[in-house]
Amino acid sequence: MKPKTKKTLIIMAAVLAIAVIVWLLFFRKKEWERILDRLTIDETIKAEIRAEARRIDQNPALRQAVAAEAAEVYETYDRWLIMTAAMNLRYPVQSNQLGQIIINPKD
C-alpha cells in the first residue's frame, strides 16, 4: 500500500470517528424521548410532556427523586419520567399489563 493511500485511509477513519461521536453526543434521542414518540397521543400533549420531562431530567434533585420512585415501583427511570411528567401536568396515566403507557387527554 502506498504511503499516500495509507494517509488517506487514516484521515477518512478519523473523520468517520468524529462524525459518529458528534452524532452520539448531539443528535441521538434519549430513551425517554423514544418512548414518548411511540405513544399514540396528540402532538401538543407530547410537546407539553416533553418540556416537563426535560425540566425534570435537567434538575439533579428532581432526577434523583424520580429515579428513587421508579425503583420503588419496579419501573425503569425513562418510563417513570414520562409518567411523572404527564401526572405533573394533570393527565390521567395508566400502564397496562403489556407494559404500554396510556395517557388520556384531560377531561
Side-chain angles (χ1 to χ4, degrees), residues 49-89:
I49 294 172
R50 181 174 283 115
E52 179 67 13
R54 192 170 288 127
R55 184 187 71 80
I56 293 169
D57 195 43
Q58 290 175 350
N59 185 329
L62 291 176
R63 185 181 330 123
Q64 187 175 13
V66 170
E69 289 174 8
E72 286 177 14
V73 295
Y74 303 104
E75 189 66 73
T76 65
Y77 168 77
D78 300 309
R79 288 173 46 84
W80 194 251
L81 175 65
I82 296 296
M83 290 191 276
T84 302
M87 287 185 281
N88 286 353
L89 296 170

Side-chain angles (χ1 to χ4, degrees), residues 32 35 45 50 94 102 105:
W32 65 265
I35 292 170
I45 296 172
R50 181 174 283 115
Q94 299 170 326
I102 302 166

